[in-house]
Amino acid sequence: MTVRELAAACGFEILCGGGEREVTGGVYCCDLLSIVMGRAPADCAWVTVMANINTLAVASLADAACVILAEDAALDENAAAKARQQGITVLSTSMPVFEAALKVWQLLNP
């Protein structure tokens, strides 16, 4: 399933990126960036409330398929510009982290 398809099925808004990458690494939840760098599986949908430029650097290092910003976390313009520059798809939802991750997990594991 592509990130774009996942976003449409879950009702997430695409803030940046084309969403053409496949989500094959499952869903990963964590706000501690150093943990994400070492443990997030490649091609995952990463759910977090950390909406800053460091999050995008970690998403790139972890090779996440997308970043899902939960709880209406706002991506500032510098971070959005970096996401566009690096081709990172960033999604947004008002759902709490757990609910967003559960929705993604249910979609990926029918």
Side-chain angles (χ1 to χ4, degrees), residues 52-100:
N52 60 46
I53 201 159
N54 294 331
T55 301
L56 300 171
V58 170
S60 180
L61 286 171
D63 200 23
C66 66
V67 176
I68 301 168
L69 299 177
E71 302 184 29
D72 289 321
L75 192 65
D76 66 47
E77 188 48 46
N78 288 336
K82 189 66 157 179
R84 287 189 290 275
Q85 177 189 7
Q86 294 189 344
I88 299 169
T89 301
V90 180
L91 310 176
S92 177
T93 181
S94 60
M95 292 178 192
V97 171
F98 176 79
E99 289 178 23

